[in-house]
Amino acid sequence: MVVLTLLDGVAFATLGPAVIRSYKFRMYPTSKQDALLRAMLDDHRSLYNAALQERRDAWKRGKQIWFADQDAQLTAIRAEDKDQARWSYSAQEQTLRRLDKAFKAFFRRVRDGRAPGYPRFKGIGYFDTVDHRNGDGAKWDSHPTQTKVYFQGVGHIKVRQHRPVVARRLTRIGIKREGRRWYVILAADQALPAALQMTGVMVGIDLATGPNGLAYTSVGERIENPAYGRASQSRLADADRMLSRTQRGSNRRRKARQRLADVHRKIRNQRHDYLHKAARRLVDRYDVIVAEDLNIAGMTRRAAPRPDGARGYEHNGGSAKTGLNRSIHDAGWGLFLEMIRAKAESAGREFIQVDPAYTSQSCSKCGHREAANRNGKFFRCLSCGHVDDADVNAAVNILKAGLALRDVAETAPREAHFIGMTSLEAGRVPSG
Protein backbone atom coordinates (compact mmCIF):
# COMPACT_ATOMS: atom_id res chain seq x y z
CA MET A 1 0.00 0.00 0.00
CA VAL A 2 1.06 3.59 -0.62
CA VAL A 3 0.17 6.38 1.79
CA LEU A 4 0.63 9.93 0.51
CA THR A 5 0.48 13.17 2.41
CA LEU A 6 1.55 16.73 1.64
CA LEU A 7 4.03 18.51 3.92
CA ASP A 8 5.44 21.93 3.02
CA GLY A 9 4.57 21.34 -0.61
CA VAL A 10 6.43 18.02 -0.84
CA ALA A 11 4.72 14.68 -1.42
CA PHE A 12 5.71 11.96 1.03
CA ALA A 13 5.10 8.31 0.20
CA THR A 14 5.19 5.42 2.67
CA LEU A 15 5.91 1.85 1.64
CA GLY A 16 6.25 -1.37 3.61
CA PRO A 17 6.31 -5.10 2.82
CA ALA A 18 5.29 -6.20 6.32
CA VAL A 19 2.86 -5.06 8.97
CA ILE A 20 2.46 -5.32 12.72
CA ARG A 21 -1.02 -6.11 13.91
CA SER A 22 -2.39 -6.36 17.41
CA TYR A 23 -4.82 -9.00 18.66
CA LYS A 24 -6.84 -8.47 21.80
CA PHE A 25 -8.38 -11.40 23.68
CA ARG A 26 -10.14 -11.54 27.00
CA MET A 27 -8.48 -13.51 29.81
CA TYR A 28 -10.33 -15.39 32.53
CA PRO A 29 -7.99 -15.63 35.53
CA THR A 30 -8.89 -17.50 38.68
CA SER A 31 -9.39 -15.47 41.86
CA LYS A 32 -5.79 -16.22 42.88
CA GLN A 33 -4.47 -15.22 39.45
CA ASP A 34 -6.58 -12.06 39.55
CA ALA A 35 -4.86 -11.06 42.79
CA LEU A 36 -1.45 -11.83 41.28
CA LEU A 37 -2.17 -9.77 38.18
CA ARG A 38 -3.18 -6.83 40.36
CA ALA A 39 -0.01 -7.27 42.38
CA MET A 40 2.02 -7.28 39.15
CA LEU A 41 0.49 -3.98 38.03
CA ASP A 42 1.06 -2.45 41.45
CA ASP A 43 4.72 -3.51 41.59
CA HIS A 44 5.35 -2.20 38.07
CA ARG A 45 3.60 1.03 39.07
CA SER A 46 5.92 1.33 42.09
CA LEU A 47 8.95 0.75 39.84
CA TYR A 48 7.73 3.41 37.41
CA ASN A 49 7.14 5.96 40.17
CA ALA A 50 10.50 5.24 41.82
CA ALA A 51 12.30 5.70 38.49
CA LEU A 52 10.41 8.95 37.92
CA GLN A 53 11.34 10.21 41.40
CA GLU A 54 15.00 9.37 40.78
CA ARG A 55 14.97 11.40 37.57
CA ARG A 56 13.31 14.34 39.30
CA ASP A 57 15.84 14.30 42.15
CA ALA A 58 18.78 14.01 39.75
CA TRP A 59 17.52 16.98 37.74
CA LYS A 60 17.37 19.11 40.90
CA ARG A 61 21.02 18.25 41.57
CA GLY A 62 21.98 19.27 38.04
CA LYS A 63 22.41 15.71 36.80
CA GLN A 64 20.55 13.63 34.27
CA ILE A 65 19.52 9.98 34.50
CA TRP A 66 19.19 7.87 31.37
CA PHE A 67 17.40 4.61 30.70
CA ALA A 68 20.69 2.67 30.71
CA ASP A 69 21.48 3.98 34.20
CA GLN A 70 18.16 2.82 35.62
CA ASP A 71 18.23 -0.46 33.73
CA ALA A 72 21.60 -1.25 35.32
CA GLN A 73 20.00 -0.96 38.78
CA LEU A 74 17.34 -3.61 38.14
CA THR A 75 19.49 -6.56 39.22
CA ALA A 76 20.19 -4.96 42.60
CA ILE A 77 16.54 -3.97 43.04
CA ARG A 78 15.38 -7.52 42.37
CA ALA A 79 17.96 -8.91 44.79
CA GLU A 80 16.71 -6.69 47.61
CA ASP A 81 12.96 -6.76 46.85
CA LYS A 82 11.39 -10.22 46.63
CA ASP A 83 8.13 -8.76 45.31
CA GLN A 84 9.90 -7.26 42.31
CA ALA A 85 11.97 -10.42 41.76
CA ARG A 86 8.91 -12.58 41.06
CA TRP A 87 8.11 -10.76 37.81
CA SER A 88 9.83 -10.85 34.44
CA TYR A 89 13.08 -8.88 34.21
CA SER A 90 12.44 -7.88 30.59
CA ALA A 91 8.91 -6.71 31.48
CA GLN A 92 10.41 -4.42 34.10
CA GLU A 93 12.79 -3.11 31.44
CA GLN A 94 9.75 -2.29 29.30
CA THR A 95 8.26 -0.32 32.18
CA LEU A 96 11.48 1.71 32.45
CA ARG A 97 11.42 2.25 28.68
CA ARG A 98 7.84 3.45 29.04
CA LEU A 99 9.05 6.18 31.39
CA ASP A 100 11.96 6.97 29.08
CA LYS A 101 9.54 7.42 26.17
CA ALA A 102 7.42 9.75 28.32
CA PHE A 103 10.46 11.96 28.97
CA LYS A 104 11.50 11.93 25.32
CA ALA A 105 8.00 13.00 24.35
CA PHE A 106 8.13 15.74 27.02
CA PHE A 107 11.38 17.20 25.67
CA ARG A 108 10.14 16.91 22.10
CA ARG A 109 7.07 18.96 22.96
CA VAL A 110 9.28 21.52 24.70
CA ARG A 111 11.43 21.85 21.56
CA ASP A 112 8.32 22.21 19.39
CA GLY A 113 6.94 24.97 21.60
CA ARG A 114 3.86 22.98 22.60
CA ALA A 115 2.40 22.40 26.07
CA PRO A 116 5.02 19.98 27.42
CA GLY A 117 3.10 17.92 30.01
CA TYR A 118 5.75 16.67 32.45
CA PRO A 119 5.51 12.90 33.20
CA ARG A 120 3.29 12.24 36.22
CA PHE A 121 3.35 9.75 39.04
CA LYS A 122 0.87 6.91 38.58
CA GLY A 123 -1.72 6.52 41.31
CA ILE A 124 -3.49 3.33 42.33
CA GLY A 125 -5.81 2.29 39.52
CA TYR A 126 -3.99 4.43 36.93
CA PHE A 127 -1.42 1.89 35.77
CA ASP A 128 -3.23 -0.76 33.74
CA THR A 129 -0.75 -2.29 31.30
CA VAL A 130 2.44 -4.35 31.46
CA ASP A 131 4.38 -5.35 28.36
CA HIS A 132 6.35 -8.60 27.96
CA ARG A 133 8.64 -9.96 25.30
CA ASN A 134 7.32 -13.13 23.77
CA GLY A 135 9.24 -16.09 25.18
CA ASP A 136 10.81 -14.02 27.96
CA GLY A 137 8.51 -14.06 30.97
CA ALA A 138 5.45 -14.68 28.81
CA LYS A 139 4.35 -17.32 26.32
CA TRP A 140 1.27 -17.44 24.09
CA ASP A 141 -0.79 -20.60 23.64
CA SER A 142 1.13 -22.30 26.41
CA HIS A 143 -1.35 -25.16 26.96
CA PRO A 144 -1.64 -28.20 24.60
CA THR A 145 -5.44 -28.63 24.78
CA GLN A 146 -6.81 -25.20 25.74
CA THR A 147 -5.94 -21.65 24.72
CA LYS A 148 -3.94 -20.16 27.55
CA VAL A 149 -1.21 -17.60 28.02
CA TYR A 150 1.62 -17.90 30.51
CA PHE A 151 3.05 -15.05 32.57
CA GLN A 152 5.96 -15.37 34.95
CA GLY A 153 4.75 -15.12 38.54
CA VAL A 154 1.12 -15.75 37.59
CA GLY A 155 1.00 -19.00 35.64
CA HIS A 156 -1.20 -20.21 32.79
CA ILE A 157 -4.34 -18.08 32.31
CA LYS A 158 -7.36 -19.17 30.31
CA VAL A 159 -8.04 -17.07 27.20
CA ARG A 160 -11.11 -16.78 24.97
CA GLN A 161 -9.57 -16.71 21.49
CA HIS A 162 -12.37 -15.61 19.17
CA ARG A 163 -10.27 -15.57 15.98
CA PRO A 164 -7.01 -17.15 14.77
CA VAL A 165 -3.71 -15.36 15.21
CA VAL A 166 -1.86 -14.95 11.89
CA ALA A 167 1.79 -14.12 12.43
CA ARG A 168 5.28 -14.89 11.21
CA ARG A 169 6.24 -14.31 14.83
CA LEU A 170 4.81 -12.75 17.96
CA THR A 171 6.95 -9.92 19.25
CA ARG A 172 5.10 -8.70 22.36
CA ILE A 173 2.56 -10.03 24.83
CA GLY A 174 0.84 -7.41 26.95
CA ILE A 175 -1.50 -7.43 29.93
CA LYS A 176 -4.28 -4.87 30.03
CA ARG A 177 -6.82 -4.21 32.77
CA GLU A 178 -10.16 -2.61 31.92
CA GLY A 179 -12.20 -2.29 35.08
CA ARG A 180 -12.82 -5.83 36.32
CA ARG A 181 -11.79 -7.40 33.02
CA TRP A 182 -8.37 -8.60 31.91
CA TYR A 183 -7.10 -8.78 28.35
CA VAL A 184 -4.01 -10.11 26.62
CA ILE A 185 -2.70 -8.08 23.67
CA LEU A 186 -0.47 -9.75 21.10
CA ALA A 187 1.77 -7.87 18.69
CA ALA A 188 2.02 -10.00 15.54
CA ASP A 189 4.58 -9.49 12.79
CA GLN A 190 2.75 -10.42 9.59
CA ALA A 191 3.64 -10.63 5.94
CA LEU A 192 1.73 -8.14 3.86
CA PRO A 193 -1.54 -9.85 2.84
CA ALA A 194 -2.46 -10.35 -0.80
CA ALA A 195 -4.05 -7.27 -2.36
CA LEU A 196 -7.77 -7.20 -3.05
CA GLN A 197 -8.99 -7.35 -6.63
CA MET A 198 -9.04 -3.91 -8.25
CA THR A 199 -12.43 -2.24 -8.62
CA GLY A 200 -11.36 0.73 -10.75
CA VAL A 201 -13.24 3.18 -8.49
CA MET A 202 -11.87 6.07 -6.40
CA VAL A 203 -13.57 8.10 -3.68
CA GLY A 204 -13.14 11.24 -1.61
CA ILE A 205 -14.41 11.55 1.97
CA ASP A 206 -15.60 14.67 3.80
CA LEU A 207 -16.01 14.12 7.55
CA ALA A 208 -19.06 15.36 9.46
CA THR A 209 -20.43 15.23 13.01
CA GLY A 210 -23.64 14.87 14.97
CA PRO A 211 -26.95 14.56 13.09
CA ASN A 212 -25.12 15.54 9.89
CA GLY A 213 -23.68 12.04 9.72
CA LEU A 214 -20.15 10.66 10.05
CA ALA A 215 -18.97 11.38 6.50
CA TYR A 216 -20.03 12.04 2.91
CA THR A 217 -18.39 10.54 -0.15
CA SER A 218 -17.74 12.04 -3.56
CA VAL A 219 -20.28 9.64 -5.08
CA GLY A 220 -23.05 11.07 -2.90
CA GLU A 221 -23.15 8.40 -0.19
CA ARG A 222 -23.86 9.44 3.39
CA ILE A 223 -22.19 7.39 6.14
CA GLU A 224 -24.43 7.55 9.18
CA ASN A 225 -23.20 8.54 12.62
CA PRO A 226 -24.80 6.49 15.42
CA ALA A 227 -23.35 8.93 18.03
CA TYR A 228 -23.30 6.26 20.71
CA GLY A 229 -22.05 8.69 23.34
CA ARG A 230 -24.93 11.08 22.75
CA ALA A 231 -27.42 8.19 22.74
CA SER A 232 -26.11 7.04 26.13
CA GLN A 233 -26.06 10.44 27.81
CA SER A 234 -28.87 9.56 30.23
CA ARG A 235 -27.15 6.35 31.33
CA LEU A 236 -23.84 8.19 31.74
CA ALA A 237 -25.54 10.93 33.76
CA ASP A 238 -27.25 8.39 36.03
CA ALA A 239 -24.02 6.47 36.64
CA ASP A 240 -22.08 9.69 37.27
CA ARG A 241 -24.76 10.95 39.66
CA MET A 242 -24.64 7.73 41.67
CA LEU A 243 -20.86 8.00 41.88
CA SER A 244 -21.00 11.58 43.17
CA ARG A 245 -23.28 10.48 46.04
CA THR A 246 -20.86 7.91 47.43
CA GLN A 247 -18.15 8.34 50.03
CA ARG A 248 -14.52 8.09 48.99
CA GLY A 249 -12.97 4.74 49.86
CA SER A 250 -16.29 2.97 50.35
CA ASN A 251 -17.46 -0.21 48.65
CA ARG A 252 -20.44 1.65 47.23
CA ARG A 253 -18.08 4.09 45.55
CA ARG A 254 -16.01 1.25 44.11
CA LYS A 255 -19.14 -0.36 42.66
CA ALA A 256 -20.44 2.98 41.34
CA ARG A 257 -17.11 3.69 39.67
CA GLN A 258 -17.20 0.28 38.05
CA ARG A 259 -20.76 0.88 36.85
CA LEU A 260 -19.68 4.14 35.18
CA ALA A 261 -16.68 2.41 33.60
CA ASP A 262 -18.95 -0.31 32.23
CA VAL A 263 -21.12 2.28 30.48
CA HIS A 264 -18.06 3.94 28.93
CA ARG A 265 -16.69 0.57 27.81
CA LYS A 266 -20.01 -0.29 26.16
CA ILE A 267 -19.98 2.98 24.23
CA ARG A 268 -16.36 2.49 23.19
CA ASN A 269 -16.98 -1.06 21.98
CA GLN A 270 -20.06 0.02 19.99
CA ARG A 271 -18.13 2.86 18.35
CA HIS A 272 -15.15 0.63 17.47
CA ASP A 273 -17.39 -2.04 15.98
CA TYR A 274 -19.29 0.45 13.81
CA LEU A 275 -16.17 2.26 12.58
CA HIS A 276 -14.45 -1.03 11.75
CA LYS A 277 -17.38 -2.04 9.55
CA ALA A 278 -17.65 1.39 7.89
CA ALA A 279 -13.92 1.41 7.11
CA ARG A 280 -14.12 -2.16 5.81
CA ARG A 281 -16.87 -1.24 3.34
CA LEU A 282 -14.86 1.67 1.95
CA VAL A 283 -11.70 -0.38 1.50
CA ASP A 284 -13.60 -3.21 -0.19
CA ARG A 285 -15.26 -0.86 -2.71
CA TYR A 286 -12.56 1.63 -3.69
CA ASP A 287 -8.99 1.37 -5.00
CA VAL A 288 -8.08 4.90 -3.94
CA ILE A 289 -9.49 6.60 -0.83
CA VAL A 290 -8.80 10.29 -0.23
CA ALA A 291 -9.60 11.90 3.12
CA GLU A 292 -8.91 15.11 4.98
CA ASP A 293 -5.63 15.51 6.86
CA LEU A 294 -7.05 17.12 10.00
CA ASN A 295 -5.36 18.35 13.15
CA ILE A 296 -8.00 16.78 15.37
CA ALA A 297 -6.12 17.52 18.59
CA GLY A 298 -6.02 21.21 17.68
CA MET A 299 -9.64 21.24 16.57
CA THR A 300 -10.83 19.79 19.88
CA ARG A 301 -8.69 22.04 22.09
CA ARG A 302 -10.78 24.05 24.53
CA ALA A 303 -11.49 27.67 23.66
CA ALA A 304 -8.92 30.12 25.02
CA PRO A 305 -10.19 32.54 27.70
CA ARG A 306 -10.57 36.23 26.82
CA PRO A 307 -9.79 38.56 29.75
CA ASP A 308 -11.84 41.76 29.64
CA GLY A 309 -9.27 43.82 31.56
CA ALA A 310 -11.56 44.21 34.58
CA ARG A 311 -10.73 40.90 36.26
CA GLY A 312 -13.41 39.19 34.25
CA TYR A 313 -13.73 37.40 30.96
CA GLU A 314 -15.52 38.09 27.70
CA HIS A 315 -17.73 35.54 26.00
CA ASN A 316 -15.49 33.17 23.99
CA GLY A 317 -18.01 30.66 22.70
CA GLY A 318 -16.68 28.03 25.06
CA SER A 319 -20.00 26.25 25.50
CA ALA A 320 -20.54 25.84 21.77
CA LYS A 321 -16.91 24.77 21.34
CA THR A 322 -17.33 22.16 24.08
CA GLY A 323 -20.35 20.74 22.28
CA LEU A 324 -18.45 20.56 18.99
CA ASN A 325 -15.49 18.89 20.70
CA ARG A 326 -17.79 16.30 22.24
CA SER A 327 -19.39 15.59 18.85
CA ILE A 328 -16.01 15.12 17.17
CA HIS A 329 -14.83 12.71 19.85
CA ASP A 330 -18.14 10.86 19.75
CA ALA A 331 -17.89 10.47 15.96
CA GLY A 332 -14.35 9.06 16.32
CA TRP A 333 -12.73 10.86 13.39
CA GLY A 334 -9.16 9.97 14.28
CA LEU A 335 -9.99 6.33 14.93
CA PHE A 336 -11.97 6.09 11.70
CA LEU A 337 -9.07 7.43 9.62
CA GLU A 338 -6.59 5.11 11.33
CA MET A 339 -8.82 2.13 10.62
CA ILE A 340 -9.09 3.08 6.94
CA ARG A 341 -5.32 3.46 6.80
CA ALA A 342 -4.69 0.05 8.38
CA LYS A 343 -7.24 -1.80 6.27
CA ALA A 344 -6.03 -0.08 3.09
CA GLU A 345 -2.51 -1.17 3.91
CA SER A 346 -3.58 -4.80 4.27
CA ALA A 347 -5.72 -4.73 1.12
CA GLY A 348 -3.21 -3.06 -1.19
CA ARG A 349 -5.34 0.06 -1.54
CA GLU A 350 -4.11 3.65 -1.68
CA PHE A 351 -5.01 5.97 1.18
CA ILE A 352 -4.24 9.65 0.61
CA GLN A 353 -4.74 12.54 3.01
CA VAL A 354 -4.84 16.15 1.83
CA ASP A 355 -5.18 19.61 3.30
CA PRO A 356 -8.94 20.32 3.34
CA ALA A 357 -8.56 24.12 3.27
CA TYR A 358 -11.28 25.81 1.16
CA THR A 359 -12.67 22.50 -0.14
CA SER A 360 -16.10 23.44 1.24
CA GLN A 361 -16.03 26.89 -0.44
CA SER A 362 -14.76 25.85 -3.89
CA CYS A 363 -17.00 24.70 -6.70
CA SER A 364 -16.27 21.13 -7.77
CA LYS A 365 -17.30 22.00 -11.36
CA CYS A 366 -15.57 25.27 -12.22
CA GLY A 367 -13.22 25.73 -9.25
CA HIS A 368 -14.60 29.15 -8.24
CA ARG A 369 -13.86 29.79 -4.57
CA GLU A 370 -16.01 32.06 -2.44
CA ALA A 371 -17.28 31.75 1.12
CA ALA A 372 -20.79 32.72 0.01
CA ASN A 373 -20.95 29.62 -2.21
CA ARG A 374 -21.86 27.58 0.84
CA ASN A 375 -24.89 28.16 3.02
CA GLY A 376 -25.06 25.41 5.62
CA LYS A 377 -25.78 22.12 3.84
CA PHE A 378 -26.63 23.89 0.58
CA PHE A 379 -23.97 24.71 -2.03
CA ARG A 380 -24.59 26.98 -5.01
CA CYS A 381 -21.69 28.30 -7.05
CA LEU A 382 -22.07 32.05 -7.62
CA SER A 383 -20.00 31.75 -10.79
CA CYS A 384 -21.39 28.78 -12.76
CA GLY A 385 -24.57 28.08 -10.79
CA HIS A 386 -23.63 24.50 -9.87
CA VAL A 387 -25.90 23.20 -7.08
CA ASP A 388 -25.02 20.31 -4.80
CA ASP A 389 -24.97 19.08 -1.23
CA ALA A 390 -22.19 21.08 0.45
CA ASP A 391 -20.51 18.02 1.98
CA VAL A 392 -20.66 16.01 -1.25
CA ASN A 393 -19.18 18.97 -3.14
CA ALA A 394 -16.35 19.13 -0.58
CA ALA A 395 -15.74 15.38 -0.94
CA VAL A 396 -15.37 15.77 -4.71
CA ASN A 397 -12.81 18.54 -4.17
CA ILE A 398 -10.95 16.37 -1.67
CA LEU A 399 -10.79 13.55 -4.23
CA LYS A 400 -9.44 15.91 -6.90
CA ALA A 401 -6.78 17.24 -4.51
CA GLY A 402 -5.73 13.70 -3.62
CA LEU A 403 -5.42 12.63 -7.23
CA ALA A 404 -3.37 15.74 -8.00
CA LEU A 405 -1.07 14.89 -5.09
CA ARG A 406 -0.83 11.33 -6.36
CA ASP A 407 0.17 12.53 -9.81
CA VAL A 408 2.87 14.73 -8.31
CA ALA A 409 4.34 11.77 -6.44
CA GLU A 410 4.27 9.57 -9.56
CA THR A 411 5.71 12.12 -12.00
CA ALA A 412 8.34 13.59 -9.68
CA PRO A 413 9.76 10.64 -7.70
CA ARG A 414 12.93 12.55 -6.88
CA GLU A 415 10.90 14.99 -4.84
CA ALA A 416 9.16 12.21 -2.92
CA HIS A 417 10.70 10.86 0.25
CA PHE A 418 10.19 7.15 0.81
CA ILE A 419 10.32 5.96 4.38
CA GLY A 420 9.66 2.62 6.06
CA MET A 421 6.19 2.02 7.45
CA THR A 422 5.75 0.80 11.01
CA SER A 423 1.97 0.36 10.65
CA LEU A 424 -0.16 -0.26 13.75
CA GLU A 425 1.73 -1.06 16.91
CA ALA A 426 0.57 -3.29 19.76
CA GLY A 427 -2.23 -1.83 21.83
CA ARG A 428 -3.27 0.67 19.23
CA VAL A 429 -5.99 -0.42 16.78
CA PRO A 430 -6.68 -4.15 16.53
CA SER A 431 -7.00 -5.40 12.96
CA GLY A 432 -10.28 -6.76 11.65
Side-chain angles (χ1 to χ4, degrees):
M1 187 213 51
V2 182
V3 177
L4 301 177
T5 188
L6 189 62
L7 181 62
D8 295 331
V10 178
F12 284 77
T14 309
L15 301 173
V19 292
I20 297 177
R21 288 286 182 263
S22 63
Y23 292 83
K24 182 178 180 181
F25 303 117
R26 186 173 176 184
M27 297 191 297
Y28 291 87
T30 63
S31 57
K32 182 179 180 180
Q33 290 173 334
D34 182 271
L36 289 171
L37 288 172
R38 294 180 184 277
M40 178 193 294
L41 291 182
D42 195 53
D43 287 339
H44 276 262
R45 180 181 66 86
S46 298
L47 179 65
Y48 182 96
N49 288 341
L52 174 56
Q53 185 64 55
E54 183 183 31
R55 291 198 179 212
R56 286 167 60 100
D57 293 342
W59 183 265
K60 292 178 181 178
R61 298 193 304 268
K63 298 182 179 180
Q64 192 165 359
I65 299 292
W66 304 95
F67 164 76
D69 302 321
Q70 295 187 318
D71 184 35
Q73 302 175 41
L74 265 182
T75 301
I77 292 173
R78 292 168 61 88
E80 296 179 2
D81 191 336
K82 294 182 179 179
D83 288 337
Q84 293 288 349
R86 55 184 168 167
W87 314 123
S88 167
Y89 184 98
S90 63
Q92 292 170 329
E93 284 186 314
Q94 295 305 313
T95 296
L96 295 179
R97 284 195 176 93
R98 176 175 171 179
L99 176 64
D100 190 59
K101 289 180 181 178
F103 271 97
K104 288 179 179 178
F106 165 74
F107 289 117
R108 182 174 63 251
R109 288 190 293 269
V110 170
R111 290 194 301 269
D112 294 343
R114 295 182 290 163
Y118 192 82
R120 298 180 180 181
F121 291 102
K122 303 294 184 180
I124 296 176
Y126 288 89
F127 194 95
D128 296 320
T129 60
V130 173
D131 189 25
H132 292 76
R133 292 179 184 173
N134 182 35
D136 189 354
K139 184 179 179 182
W140 170 247
D141 204 9
S142 58
H143 197 275
T145 60
Q146 191 177 31
T147 303
K148 290 188 176 183
V149 61
Y150 170 81
F151 291 106
Q152 179 179 327
V154 180
H156 301 267
I157 305 176
K158 182 180 177 182
V159 176
R160 181 178 178 272
Q161 184 180 353
H162 58 272
R163 58 173 172 159
V165 175
V166 180
R168 296 185 298 190
R169 66 187 182 96
L170 293 179
T171 58
R172 301 288 181 185
I173 302 179
I175 294 172
K176 183 176 179 62
R177 176 177 61 185
E178 293 183 4
R180 293 171 293 181
R181 300 185 179 188
W182 293 95
Y183 295 90
V184 57
I185 298 178
L186 310 176
D189 184 356
Q190 301 177 345
L192 196 64
L196 293 178
Q197 185 175 357
M198 302 294 285
T199 65
V201 187
M202 300 173 286
V203 72
I205 302 173
D206 182 58
L207 297 174
T209 60
N212 197 30
L214 173 64
Y216 288 79
T217 69
S218 55
V219 296
E221 178 188 5
R222 170 187 166 116
I223 302 176
E224 297 296 335
N225 176 23
Y228 292 110
R230 184 180 182 86
S232 302
Q233 275 187 340
S234 60
R235 288 193 298 142
L236 284 171
D238 290 343
D240 192 55
R241 191 180 304 112
M242 294 185 68
L243 177 63
S244 66
R245 293 172 178 173
T246 58
Q247 185 177 357
R248 289 184 178 275
S250 66
N251 285 331
R252 287 186 67 245
R253 186 173 184 83
R254 176 180 57 80
K255 294 178 181 179
R257 187 188 301 114
Q258 185 58 54
R259 189 178 299 111
L260 180 61
D262 288 343
V263 177
H264 279 292
R265 183 177 63 251
K266 177 67 173 179
I267 296 170
R268 182 175 65 252
N269 290 343
Q270 289 177 313
R271 183 183 297 119
H272 279 220
D273 180 70
Y274 180 79
L275 295 178
H276 267 300
K277 293 174 180 176
R280 180 78 270 161
R281 287 193 298 269
L282 288 172
V283 171
D284 286 344
R285 294 177 186 175
Y286 303 106
D287 294 339
V288 179
I289 303 172
V290 185
E292 302 166 89
D293 188 14
L294 299 173
N295 179 13
I296 298 175
M299 294 176 65
T300 56
R301 190 174 294 121
R302 64 181 297 182
R306 297 177 182 175
D308 59 5
R311 297 186 177 182
Y313 294 91
E314 298 178 356
H315 177 69
N316 65 347
S319 298
K321 184 68 166 59
T322 299
L324 176 61
N325 295 351
R326 187 181 296 114
S327 295
I328 292 175
H329 287 306
D330 194 18
W333 283 359
L335 185 61
F336 184 46
L337 294 176
E338 282 297 327
M339 287 179 177
I340 296 175
R341 180 188 297 273
K343 295 178 190 302
E345 175 186 353
S346 297
R349 305 301 202 197
E350 291 186 58
F351 179 59
I352 306 172
Q353 289 185 270
V354 298
D355 185 355
Y358 305 112
T359 53
S360 63
Q361 300 178 8
S362 301
C363 177
S364 59
K365 293 295 183 181
C366 69
H368 174 69
R369 189 179 81 190
E370 188 173 342
N373 284 345
R374 177 168 186 172
N375 183 13
K377 281 285 292 176
F378 181 74
F379 184 92
R380 183 184 182 86
C381 179
L382 300 181
S383 176
C384 70
H386 171 63
V387 176
D388 202 349
D389 180 283
D391 292 301
V392 174
N393 177 79
V396 174
N397 287 329
I398 289 170
L399 174 60
K400 289 181 177 180
L403 296 181
L405 177 60
R406 181 174 178 244
D407 291 340
V408 169
E410 291 178 350
T411 57
R414 294 182 180 180
E415 297 181 5
H417 298 261
F418 294 89
I419 58 176
M421 173 177 288
T422 57
S423 184
L424 299 179
E425 298 177 351
R428 199 172 176 185
V429 181
S431 63

